[in-house]
Amino acid sequence: MRQADRIIVNTISNYGLTIVTMATQLVMIPVVVKHLDKSGFGLATMVLAPFGFFEVMAGSFGRALHRFIPQDLAGHDARRVSRTFTTAMAGYGLMGLVGAVATWFAFDWMLAGAEVSSVVMRDGRLAMWVLVVWLVVGFPLWGYRKGLEAIQRYDLLGLSHGLITLLRTVAVIVVFSLGYGSITFFVASHLVSLMLINLLCRRFLIRAVPGMREAPSLIDKATIILVGTFAAATLLGIFGEVCGSYGFRIFIGKELGMDKLGALAAVWTLQLTIGRLIDELTNAFSPAISALDAKGSSANVAKLMLTGTKSSMLVASSMCVVPLAAAAPFLHLWLGDSFRGYDTLLYVFLLVMLPFCVGMTPTYVLFGLGRVTTTGTVMLVRGLAGLLLALAYVQWVDRNLTGAVLCMLGVQNSGGLVMLYSACRAVGVRFWNALYEVMMKPLVLASVAAAVTWIVIRQVGDDRWWKLTVSVGLGELTLLALVLGVGLGDEERARIFSFFHRAWARVARIG
């Protein structure tokens, strides 16, 4: 498949996967929160925090695979591919072991002081033990998922992830609805589903690269230095990202209580789902950029960065700007009247996502080009600075959840503009021209569509799901029409229509 077509297929696959994930989260979270209450859900979030912490940290090895596997494949050396992959797998295994030991030492401190009953606390402690075992047994399998990403088969990853996520969601809803739900079941179902997904990824990966194998004997000093140096440089930045996400959650749980953490985690689900969607739309660029870099195709790298960034900003704007008028009523219908005090928090989450999203494609472009020093420094500084500012705000200004979130995400997400600037310099594109094309133009189009949403809501009301659906749907259709009419360049429009023409012709031949 042509590289341009592969990127479009991967983008569509990731988009479809995240839509499934978003839908399942929207249905599942209210059921879980209703059964566990905000404090119980906060405890479940605290239990899963170490998993998220080490998952993100281990992403350093995944990005190393994204960088080096495409270059190994370009050399047509299956043994070299196997050596790189096995070395990264060993890194995942080591990270899982470190995570298990760290969690075992820390979980008494993490759960101490939680405002929950002794029964709920025992449930949380059991769930934490399940996590410790999984980090040793299941965490090393994460490398198969990243290996499948490195060969740009996001379609296969989306198939396995989407199917198993759907099955897990149904199981959680049924068990909780019958009154048998618990923190342990919620956590264990998530971890088991991830293990099954990664095992399916292994099967797909072995089939896609028949000559590849996992053999510890293949690991040599040169590959350890190559993969380890890249991963270490990436790890520096990922540590900053972890501080700004899972570190912030732990801080909120310890400083403001499990009730506030539960509310934060529930509302944050929307922002995380949007962030994951944009991430899934853009992380396919890293191995693609690496493959283009191996061929010396710098002009195509610049075009890909601009097109990818504009696409991610259009998607982000459609989810963060177009539905703004419906955000508060949606929150009340989704999570109930107990969340009426968190309207401002939701607005903060939606709006501060925009500068973050504009930097996601440039970040993966820099990773694909091997510019890990730049990305690592920016990610570290923005994560630590945001966490420290939030800590100072809570300690010395006001113990207010929304203010702390604004401090944290405001600083962290502004780093997206720094990423865009760095990527523009790396690929030879003027920053201000890029900023207008990939950020300002999508926001203007989305603002027009947001006005349509607001007008319709004023006419039909906002107290029923169908009213919100109609209002937001008309706003989204307006944005789509604007994008097709004036938002795309001639080359972008021609490339998209050409892809769908070839795809339709292929389907017709099969039929």
Side-chain angles (χ1 to χ4, degrees):
M1 183 180 291
R2 295 174 8 168
Q3 182 63 70
D5 289 352
R6 171 55 63 191
I7 292 172
I8 295 175
V9 168
N10 288 338
T11 301
I12 294 173
S13 300
N14 288 343
Y15 190 83
L17 168 61
T18 310
I19 292 298
V20 170
T21 303
M22 180 185 295
T24 56
Q25 290 291 316
L26 291 178
V27 174
M28 179 176 64
I29 293 300
V31 176
V32 176
V33 172
K34 180 180 179 180
H35 186 86
L36 297 179
D37 202 6
K38 289 198 291 290
S39 59
F41 189 63
L43 189 63
T45 301
M46 184 69 84
V47 170
L48 283 172
F51 158 75
F53 181 94
F54 287 100
E55 174 198 354
V56 176
M57 295 291 281
S60 57
F61 295 105
R63 285 167 179 164
L65 287 174
H66 287 180
R67 169 63 179 168
F68 296 118
I69 290 292
Q71 299 195 346
D72 294 343
L73 290 172
H76 305 288
D77 185 350
R79 184 176 178 83
R80 185 178 169 187
V81 174
S82 300
R83 183 179 291 114
T84 300
F85 180 75
T86 304
T87 303
M89 283 286 290
Y92 275 104
L94 179 61
M95 185 68 74
L97 184 60
V98 171
V101 173
T103 303
W104 181 67
F105 276 110
F107 75 60
D108 280 332
W109 170 80
M110 292 180 62
L111 301 183
E115 309 89 353
V116 295
S117 67
S118 58
V119 175
V120 175
M121 180 59 72
R122 284 197 299 272
D123 188 14
R125 291 181 64 84
L126 178 58
M128 194 70 89
W129 278 113
V130 171
L131 174 61
V132 169
V133 174
W134 187 89
L135 285 169
V136 176
V137 177
F139 201 81
L141 303 178
W142 211 266
Y144 296 116
R145 172 196 300 252
K146 296 303 177 182
L148 202 60
E149 291 178 1
I151 64 171
Q152 301 188 60
R153 292 309 306 268
Y154 290 83
D155 51 336
L156 298 177
L157 173 59
L159 174 65
S160 57
H161 199 156
L163 177 61
I164 294 177
T165 297
L166 184 61
L167 293 175
R168 183 248 175 171
T169 301
V170 171
V172 169
I173 291 174
V174 170
V175 170
F176 273 83
S177 297
L178 293 175
Y180 297 108
S182 65
I183 295 173
T184 301
F185 178 79
F186 181 73
V187 170
S189 64
H190 179 59
L191 299 177
V192 170
S193 67
L194 290 177
M195 184 178 292
L196 294 175
I197 292 168
N198 293 336
L199 288 173
L200 270 178
C201 287
R202 180 186 185 278
R203 183 169 184 173
F204 289 137
L205 180 63
I206 297 300
R207 285 185 175 181
V209 190
M212 197 200 75
R213 59 194 180 97
E214 317 103 298
S217 60
L218 290 171
I219 301 176
D220 59 12
K221 182 178 179 181
T223 310
I224 291 175
I225 294 174
L226 180 69
V227 174
T229 301
F230 190 94
T234 305
L235 194 62
L236 184 69
I238 289 179
F239 178 75
E241 296 291 283
V242 167
C243 289
S245 54
Y246 296 99
F248 180 67
R249 295 185 203 184
I250 294 173
F251 159 68
I252 292 297
K254 299 299 292 183
E255 287 292 326
L256 301 183
M258 291 298 169
D259 189 73
K260 291 294 186 183
L261 177 58
L264 172 68
V267 179
W268 206 342
T269 300
L270 292 175
Q271 191 260 5
L272 290 175
T273 304
I274 295 170
R276 183 176 291 275
L277 171 59
I278 305 303
D279 183 63
E280 296 294 350
L281 287 173
T282 55
N283 66 12
F285 287 98
S286 185
I289 292 295
S290 182
L292 290 172
D293 187 44
K295 300 175 183 178
S297 185
S298 57
N300 287 330
V301 170
K303 289 182 180 179
L304 190 56
M305 187 201 76
L306 292 174
T307 301
T309 306
K310 181 195 288 188
S311 300
S312 64
M313 277 304 296
L314 286 170
V315 173
S317 298
S318 74
M319 292 186 293
C320 296
V321 178
V322 176
L324 273 177
F330 166 82
L331 182 66
H332 306 157
L333 290 174
W334 180 43
L335 294 175
D337 290 339
S338 63
F339 280 80
R340 284 190 176 272
Y342 296 98
D343 296 359
T344 305
L345 179 64
L346 178 56
Y347 289 128
V348 169
F349 274 131
L350 292 176
L351 293 177
V352 298
M353 272 299 293
L354 297 171
F356 178 74
C357 290
V358 82
M360 293 186 78
T361 297
T363 299
Y364 284 111
V365 168
L366 291 169
F367 276 125
L369 294 174
R371 306 291 182 90
V372 290
T373 302
T374 301
T375 55
T377 302
V378 175
M379 292 165 67
L380 176 66
V381 170
R382 73 184 186 183
L384 284 177
L387 181 59
L388 290 174
L389 182 61
L391 190 152
Y393 177 85
V394 169
Q395 293 293 334
W396 298 320
V397 180
D398 186 12
R399 297 179 68 81
N400 178 268
L401 176 61
T402 302
V405 170
L406 183 58
C407 290
M408 175 69 251
L409 295 184
V411 173
Q412 185 182 33
N413 292 359
S414 63
L417 296 173
V418 180
M419 289 294 192
L420 177 63
Y421 175 77
S422 301
C424 286
R425 291 192 61 185
V427 301
V429 174
R430 294 183 62 183
F431 172 70
W432 292 110
N433 291 347
L435 186 65
Y436 168 76
E437 188 66 28
V438 306
M439 186 173 183
M440 302 311 299
K441 185 185 290 187
L443 288 181
V444 169
L445 299 180
S447 297
V448 175
V452 173
T453 302
W454 181 80
I455 292 171
V456 176
I457 281 183
R458 297 277 293 183
Q459 297 300 315
V460 304
D462 58 12
D463 57 340
R464 293 290 187 273
W465 283 111
W466 72 266
K467 296 179 180 180
L468 294 185
T469 302
V470 169
S471 302
V472 176
L474 290 175
E476 298 293 353
L477 288 175
T478 302
L479 178 61
L480 179 62
L482 290 171
V483 169
L484 293 176
V486 299
L488 297 178
D490 293 337
E491 185 178 351
E492 294 167 335
R493 190 179 293 107
R495 188 181 297 119
I496 293 174
F497 285 133
S498 174
F499 166 78
F500 281 109
H501 175 74
R502 290 193 300 274
W504 178 257
R506 183 175 299 179
V507 172
R509 285 197 301 270
I510 295 175

